[in-house]
Amino acid sequence: MTTKRLFAADLGASGGKCFAGSFERDRFAMKEIHRFSHEGVSFYLPDRSGEFKERMYWDDIFIYRNIVDGLRAFKRDVAGKLDSIGIDTWGADGHFVSEDGEMLGKIHCYRDHRLDNTIQMVKKRIDPRRVYEITGIHFQPFNLSNQIHWFVKNRGDLIRPGCRYLPIPTVFYYYLGGVKAVDSSWASVTQLMDARKKKWSTEILKKLAIPMSVMPEIVEPGAVVGQLSAGLAEATGLNRAKLVAAASHDTASAFAAAPISNPDEALIISSGTWSLVGKLVPEPVTTDAARRAGVSNEGGVGNIRLLKNCMGTWLAQELRRVWRNTDGREMAWSEFTDLAASAKPFGSLIDPDDTSFYNPANMEKAIAAFCSNTGQAVPADRGAFIRTVYESLALKYRAVNEQISEVCGKTSRVVHIVGGGSKNEMLNQFTADAMGLPVLAGPEEATAVGNMMVQAMGLGIIESIPAAMPLIKHAFPIKQYTPADEKTWEKAYKRFRSVLS
């Protein structure tokens, strides 16, 4: 087998990374070749009444430029020939493009406050039970059902013949090669796709006044959707590599890289800004019990990710940002966890998914207010704030696992933590302790690994994701954490349940 070389752009909500991967015989290798930080940018602008309001946008030009820098790094540091390119992103946002290829304004960030009340708007137009029955997706402010409905209602005059909506991964495929399709793993989370048919739901689109003509084509993960444009190939010094639809929802790629042995017994946590906690099941579970539990059915690679979104390390990232602004310097993550280790265990507990933590101006004040409002002591110092976040996250994982296991009837016996959060040894150990289950952490760059494996399927290098497991296990170290101090954590869990209620 000749060496096949792949490029993965892994775009998260707080940064992006570019990776070079190679397949040769029965070996896979991957290395990072470029990374960058980015975040939603806030503007404070007056509306028609003159009232100033915060608006949040993505700097898509900056992100695109860094993908191009990644391609140049590939040419410079790896090879002059590239077989394919795949892109994965966070699971929300996008924008309209005109028939002449112009973006119709800035791309809103999913935490933008225009979406604060859109769930109620959508529920007034279509029965929530019917929405879940069709899509299997729980209501979240950032769902594209809310975002596109808002655009049609408030910016509908911009939608002219030939306009097309580009989901955020498609935006960057479009910039690279004019692609206007999206894969089913990403389309599934929009709350607009029929979970069983893998097609846009005409019923939901009609209820929300969204024209079918603006929606992109849905393709399967692994489909070849285009090639690098001639001009960009020349600018980077590369060939016109194939553009392959990876599992472009980053969680789908991350779950695809979890080195599981038995899907029925494995709980998977894709740990990052968000923590996506779930199990792989063969078909959507859209029962009323699943709806009441707030469980979503997201498209995977030949399966369904039955999961819940948890706020994840967003809370810790925001504490770090607040303290950076106060101190004028960025606290190292090692310093961050050292402070938590020195704090008293279980001083206070929070529900990480409380709405007050979604996008507060100051996360420290939001946590303090939650503790006060629930009759608990406010954390005394920074270490106590951090420990409160990590202990509460671990306990929330347990609560979500119980919900999902009950809904699908499959008990978890091992926890796989993948993604950037798998480096957090404190949170990993807390998770093992809280759940009373062994935790297997890694691969750290699971999203990029899954991206590469889906590309490899599209190129015919491997037949399926199960066939990728030996390659993944050989290429990446997996660290195990064993439960400890279970009685203390059991007592804390009872306290946590009272906080949730």
Short mmCIF file of all heavy atoms in Angstrom, two decimals, residues 26-61:
data_model
loop_
_atom_site.label_atom_id
_atom_site.label_comp_id
_atom_site.label_asym_id
_atom_site.label_seq_id
_atom_site.Cartn_x
_atom_site.Cartn_y
_atom_site.Cartn_z
N ASP A 26 -0.50 -1.41 7.78
CA ASP A 26 -1.43 -1.52 8.90
C ASP A 26 -1.10 -0.54 10.01
O ASP A 26 -1.32 -0.81 11.19
CB ASP A 26 -1.42 -2.95 9.45
CG ASP A 26 -0.05 -3.39 9.91
OD1 ASP A 26 0.94 -2.68 9.62
OD2 ASP A 26 0.05 -4.44 10.57
N ARG A 27 -0.56 0.61 9.64
CA ARG A 27 -0.18 1.61 10.63
C ARG A 27 -0.80 2.96 10.28
O ARG A 27 -0.93 3.34 9.12
CB ARG A 27 1.35 1.75 10.70
CG ARG A 27 2.06 0.54 11.32
CD ARG A 27 1.78 0.46 12.82
NE ARG A 27 2.47 -0.64 13.45
CZ ARG A 27 1.95 -1.86 13.62
NH1 ARG A 27 0.71 -2.11 13.17
NH2 ARG A 27 2.63 -2.81 14.22
N PHE A 28 -1.14 3.69 11.35
CA PHE A 28 -1.65 5.05 11.22
C PHE A 28 -0.83 5.95 12.12
O PHE A 28 -0.49 5.60 13.25
CB PHE A 28 -3.13 5.10 11.64
CG PHE A 28 -3.67 6.50 11.82
CD1 PHE A 28 -3.86 7.33 10.73
CD2 PHE A 28 -3.96 6.99 13.08
CE1 PHE A 28 -4.35 8.62 10.89
CE2 PHE A 28 -4.46 8.27 13.27
CZ PHE A 28 -4.64 9.09 12.16
N ALA A 29 -0.51 7.12 11.61
CA ALA A 29 0.21 8.11 12.42
C ALA A 29 -0.40 9.48 12.16
O ALA A 29 -0.91 9.76 11.07
CB ALA A 29 1.69 8.12 12.06
N MET A 30 -0.34 10.33 13.17
CA MET A 30 -0.93 11.66 13.04
C MET A 30 -0.11 12.64 13.86
O MET A 30 0.38 12.31 14.94
CB MET A 30 -2.38 11.63 13.57
CG MET A 30 -3.16 12.92 13.36
SD MET A 30 -4.84 12.81 14.04
CE MET A 30 -4.50 13.24 15.76
N LYS A 31 0.04 13.85 13.33
CA LYS A 31 0.75 14.87 14.10
C LYS A 31 0.11 16.23 13.86
O LYS A 31 -0.42 16.52 12.77
CB LYS A 31 2.24 14.91 13.74
CG LYS A 31 2.56 15.38 12.34
CD LYS A 31 4.09 15.47 12.15
CE LYS A 31 4.45 15.99 10.76
NZ LYS A 31 5.92 16.12 10.59
N GLU A 32 0.17 17.07 14.87
CA GLU A 32 -0.34 18.43 14.76
C GLU A 32 0.67 19.28 14.00
O GLU A 32 1.86 19.23 14.26
CB GLU A 32 -0.57 19.01 16.16
CG GLU A 32 -1.11 20.41 16.16
CD GLU A 32 -1.23 20.98 17.57
OE1 GLU A 32 -1.80 20.29 18.45
OE2 GLU A 32 -0.74 22.11 17.79
N ILE A 33 0.17 20.08 13.06
CA ILE A 33 1.08 20.93 12.27
C ILE A 33 0.77 22.42 12.39
O ILE A 33 1.57 23.26 11.98
CB ILE A 33 1.08 20.51 10.78
CG1 ILE A 33 -0.35 20.51 10.21
CG2 ILE A 33 1.73 19.15 10.61
CD1 ILE A 33 -0.41 20.22 8.72
N HIS A 34 -0.40 22.73 12.97
CA HIS A 34 -0.74 24.15 13.14
C HIS A 34 -1.87 24.26 14.14
O HIS A 34 -2.76 23.41 14.17
CB HIS A 34 -1.17 24.77 11.81
CG HIS A 34 -1.55 26.22 11.88
ND1 HIS A 34 -0.64 27.20 12.22
CD2 HIS A 34 -2.74 26.87 11.67
CE1 HIS A 34 -1.23 28.38 12.21
NE2 HIS A 34 -2.50 28.20 11.88
N ARG A 35 -1.82 25.28 15.00
CA ARG A 35 -2.94 25.54 15.91
C ARG A 35 -3.11 27.03 16.10
O ARG A 35 -2.19 27.82 15.90
CB ARG A 35 -2.74 24.83 17.24
CG ARG A 35 -1.75 25.44 18.20
CD ARG A 35 -1.98 24.96 19.63
NE ARG A 35 -2.00 23.51 19.78
CZ ARG A 35 -2.57 22.89 20.82
NH1 ARG A 35 -3.15 23.60 21.78
NH2 ARG A 35 -2.54 21.59 20.91
N PHE A 36 -4.30 27.40 16.53
CA PHE A 36 -4.59 28.82 16.75
C PHE A 36 -5.75 28.93 17.73
O PHE A 36 -6.55 28.01 17.89
CB PHE A 36 -4.94 29.52 15.43
CG PHE A 36 -6.13 28.92 14.70
CD1 PHE A 36 -7.40 29.48 14.83
CD2 PHE A 36 -5.98 27.81 13.88
CE1 PHE A 36 -8.48 28.94 14.16
CE2 PHE A 36 -7.06 27.27 13.21
CZ PHE A 36 -8.32 27.83 13.35
N SER A 37 -5.83 30.06 18.39
CA SER A 37 -6.93 30.35 19.29
C SER A 37 -7.92 31.29 18.62
O SER A 37 -7.54 32.14 17.81
CB SER A 37 -6.41 31.01 20.58
OG SER A 37 -5.56 30.12 21.29
N HIS A 38 -9.17 31.14 18.94
CA HIS A 38 -10.19 32.08 18.47
C HIS A 38 -11.36 32.00 19.43
O HIS A 38 -11.48 31.08 20.23
CB HIS A 38 -10.63 31.77 17.03
CG HIS A 38 -11.58 30.61 16.94
ND1 HIS A 38 -12.94 30.76 16.97
CD2 HIS A 38 -11.36 29.26 16.84
CE1 HIS A 38 -13.52 29.57 16.89
NE2 HIS A 38 -12.58 28.64 16.81
N GLU A 39 -12.21 32.97 19.39
CA GLU A 39 -13.41 32.95 20.22
C GLU A 39 -14.43 33.90 19.61
O GLU A 39 -14.10 34.71 18.73
CB GLU A 39 -13.08 33.38 21.66
CG GLU A 39 -12.44 34.74 21.78
CD GLU A 39 -11.98 35.06 23.19
OE1 GLU A 39 -11.92 34.15 24.03
OE2 GLU A 39 -11.67 36.24 23.44
N GLY A 40 -15.67 33.77 20.05
CA GLY A 40 -16.69 34.70 19.59
C GLY A 40 -16.33 36.12 20.00
O GLY A 40 -15.82 36.35 21.10
N VAL A 41 -16.58 37.06 19.09
CA VAL A 41 -16.23 38.46 19.35
C VAL A 41 -17.50 39.23 19.68
O VAL A 41 -18.48 39.18 18.94
CB VAL A 41 -15.54 39.10 18.12
CG1 VAL A 41 -15.14 40.53 18.42
CG2 VAL A 41 -14.32 38.27 17.71
N SER A 42 -17.48 39.96 20.80
CA SER A 42 -18.65 40.73 21.22
C SER A 42 -18.60 42.15 20.67
O SER A 42 -17.56 42.81 20.70
CB SER A 42 -18.72 40.79 22.75
OG SER A 42 -19.09 39.52 23.28
N PHE A 43 -19.74 42.60 20.17
CA PHE A 43 -19.94 43.98 19.76
C PHE A 43 -21.08 44.55 20.61
O PHE A 43 -22.03 43.82 20.93
CB PHE A 43 -20.34 44.06 18.29
CG PHE A 43 -19.27 43.67 17.32
CD1 PHE A 43 -18.92 42.35 17.12
CD2 PHE A 43 -18.61 44.64 16.57
CE1 PHE A 43 -17.94 41.98 16.22
CE2 PHE A 43 -17.61 44.29 15.66
CZ PHE A 43 -17.29 42.96 15.49
N TYR A 44 -21.01 45.82 20.93
CA TYR A 44 -22.09 46.47 21.67
C TYR A 44 -22.63 47.57 20.76
O TYR A 44 -22.03 48.64 20.62
CB TYR A 44 -21.58 47.02 23.00
CG TYR A 44 -21.10 45.90 23.91
CD1 TYR A 44 -19.78 45.45 23.84
CD2 TYR A 44 -21.97 45.28 24.78
CE1 TYR A 44 -19.35 44.40 24.63
CE2 TYR A 44 -21.54 44.23 25.59
CZ TYR A 44 -20.24 43.79 25.51
OH TYR A 44 -19.81 42.75 26.30
N LEU A 45 -23.78 47.29 20.15
CA LEU A 45 -24.29 48.15 19.08
C LEU A 45 -25.75 48.50 19.33
O LEU A 45 -26.51 47.70 19.90
CB LEU A 45 -24.16 47.43 17.74
CG LEU A 45 -22.74 47.00 17.34
CD1 LEU A 45 -22.78 46.12 16.11
CD2 LEU A 45 -21.87 48.22 17.10
N PRO A 46 -26.18 49.69 18.90
CA PRO A 46 -27.57 50.10 19.10
C PRO A 46 -28.50 49.44 18.09
O PRO A 46 -28.14 49.25 16.93
CB PRO A 46 -27.53 51.61 18.90
CG PRO A 46 -26.37 51.83 17.96
CD PRO A 46 -25.36 50.77 18.30
N ASP A 47 -29.70 49.08 18.54
CA ASP A 47 -30.72 48.59 17.61
C ASP A 47 -31.57 49.76 17.14
O ASP A 47 -31.22 50.93 17.38
CB ASP A 47 -31.57 47.49 18.26
CG ASP A 47 -32.34 47.98 19.48
OD1 ASP A 47 -32.43 49.21 19.68
OD2 ASP A 47 -32.83 47.13 20.24
N ARG A 48 -32.68 49.48 16.48
CA ARG A 48 -33.48 50.56 15.89
C ARG A 48 -34.05 51.52 16.94
O ARG A 48 -34.35 52.67 16.65
CB ARG A 48 -34.62 49.97 15.05
CG ARG A 48 -35.69 49.24 15.84
CD ARG A 48 -36.73 48.62 14.93
NE ARG A 48 -36.14 47.55 14.12
CZ ARG A 48 -36.80 46.92 13.16
NH1 ARG A 48 -38.04 47.27 12.87
NH2 ARG A 48 -36.23 45.95 12.48
N SER A 49 -34.18 51.02 18.19
CA SER A 49 -34.68 51.89 19.26
C SER A 49 -33.59 52.75 19.88
O SER A 49 -33.86 53.63 20.68
CB SER A 49 -35.33 51.05 20.35
OG SER A 49 -34.34 50.32 21.08
N GLY A 50 -32.34 52.46 19.51
CA GLY A 50 -31.20 53.17 20.09
C GLY A 50 -30.61 52.47 21.29
O GLY A 50 -29.57 52.90 21.81
N GLU A 51 -31.23 51.38 21.74
CA GLU A 51 -30.71 50.63 22.89
C GLU A 51 -29.48 49.82 22.47
O GLU A 51 -29.51 49.11 21.46
CB GLU A 51 -31.78 49.71 23.44
CG GLU A 51 -31.33 48.91 24.65
CD GLU A 51 -32.39 47.93 25.14
OE1 GLU A 51 -33.51 47.93 24.58
OE2 GLU A 51 -32.08 47.17 26.08
N PHE A 52 -28.42 49.92 23.27
CA PHE A 52 -27.21 49.16 22.97
C PHE A 52 -27.38 47.71 23.44
O PHE A 52 -27.78 47.47 24.59
CB PHE A 52 -25.99 49.80 23.64
CG PHE A 52 -25.42 50.95 22.86
CD1 PHE A 52 -26.04 52.19 22.87
CD2 PHE A 52 -24.28 50.79 22.09
CE1 PHE A 52 -25.53 53.25 22.14
CE2 PHE A 52 -23.76 51.84 21.35
CZ PHE A 52 -24.38 53.07 21.38
N LYS A 53 -27.04 46.78 22.56
CA LYS A 53 -27.15 45.36 22.89
C LYS A 53 -25.88 44.64 22.47
O LYS A 53 -25.24 45.00 21.49
CB LYS A 53 -28.36 44.73 22.20
CG LYS A 53 -29.69 45.27 22.71
CD LYS A 53 -30.86 44.56 22.05
CE LYS A 53 -32.19 45.07 22.61
NZ LYS A 53 -33.35 44.41 21.95
N GLU A 54 -25.55 43.59 23.24
CA GLU A 54 -24.37 42.78 22.90
C GLU A 54 -24.72 41.84 21.75
O GLU A 54 -25.76 41.20 21.73
CB GLU A 54 -23.92 41.95 24.10
CG GLU A 54 -22.68 41.11 23.82
CD GLU A 54 -22.28 40.23 24.98
OE1 GLU A 54 -23.09 40.07 25.91
OE2 GLU A 54 -21.15 39.70 24.94
N ARG A 55 -23.83 41.78 20.77
CA ARG A 55 -23.95 40.85 19.66
C ARG A 55 -22.65 40.08 19.54
O ARG A 55 -21.57 40.66 19.67
CB ARG A 55 -24.26 41.58 18.36
CG ARG A 55 -25.44 42.55 18.49
CD ARG A 55 -25.73 43.30 17.22
NE ARG A 55 -26.68 44.38 17.48
CZ ARG A 55 -27.47 44.92 16.56
NH1 ARG A 55 -27.43 44.47 15.32
NH2 ARG A 55 -28.28 45.90 16.88
N MET A 56 -22.74 38.78 19.29
CA MET A 56 -21.55 37.93 19.21
C MET A 56 -21.43 37.32 17.82
O MET A 56 -22.39 36.74 17.31
CB MET A 56 -21.58 36.83 20.27
CG MET A 56 -21.47 37.34 21.70
SD MET A 56 -21.31 36.00 22.90
CE MET A 56 -19.62 35.46 22.56
N TYR A 57 -20.24 37.46 17.23
CA TYR A 57 -19.98 36.94 15.89
C TYR A 57 -18.69 36.11 15.88
O TYR A 57 -17.79 36.31 16.69
CB TYR A 57 -19.83 38.08 14.88
CG TYR A 57 -20.99 39.03 14.78
CD1 TYR A 57 -20.89 40.34 15.23
CD2 TYR A 57 -22.20 38.62 14.22
CE1 TYR A 57 -21.96 41.22 15.13
CE2 TYR A 57 -23.28 39.50 14.11
CZ TYR A 57 -23.15 40.80 14.58
OH TYR A 57 -24.20 41.66 14.48
N TRP A 58 -18.63 35.20 14.92
CA TRP A 58 -17.39 34.47 14.65
C TRP A 58 -16.56 35.22 13.62
O TRP A 58 -17.13 35.80 12.69
CB TRP A 58 -17.67 33.06 14.12
CG TRP A 58 -18.35 32.14 15.08
CD1 TRP A 58 -19.60 31.60 14.95
CD2 TRP A 58 -17.83 31.63 16.30
NE1 TRP A 58 -19.89 30.79 16.01
CE2 TRP A 58 -18.82 30.79 16.87
CE3 TRP A 58 -16.62 31.80 16.99
CZ2 TRP A 58 -18.63 30.12 18.07
CZ3 TRP A 58 -16.44 31.14 18.20
CH2 TRP A 58 -17.43 30.32 18.73
N ASP A 59 -15.26 35.16 13.76
CA ASP A 59 -14.36 35.74 12.76
C ASP A 59 -14.00 34.63 11.77
O ASP A 59 -12.95 34.01 11.86
CB ASP A 59 -13.11 36.31 13.44
CG ASP A 59 -12.25 37.13 12.48
OD1 ASP A 59 -12.46 37.01 11.26
OD2 ASP A 59 -11.37 37.87 12.95
N ASP A 60 -14.90 34.36 10.83
CA ASP A 60 -14.71 33.25 9.90
C ASP A 60 -13.53 33.47 8.96
O ASP A 60 -12.89 32.50 8.54
CB ASP A 60 -15.99 32.99 9.08
CG ASP A 60 -16.45 34.24 8.35
OD1 ASP A 60 -16.61 35.29 8.99
OD2 ASP A 60 -16.66 34.16 7.11
N ILE A 61 -13.20 34.72 8.66
CA ILE A 61 -12.06 34.99 7.78
C ILE A 61 -10.76 34.61 8.49
O ILE A 61 -9.85 34.02 7.88
CB ILE A 61 -12.02 36.48 7.37
CG1 ILE A 61 -13.35 36.89 6.72
CG2 ILE A 61 -10.86 36.74 6.42
CD1 ILE A 61 -13.77 36.06 5.54
#
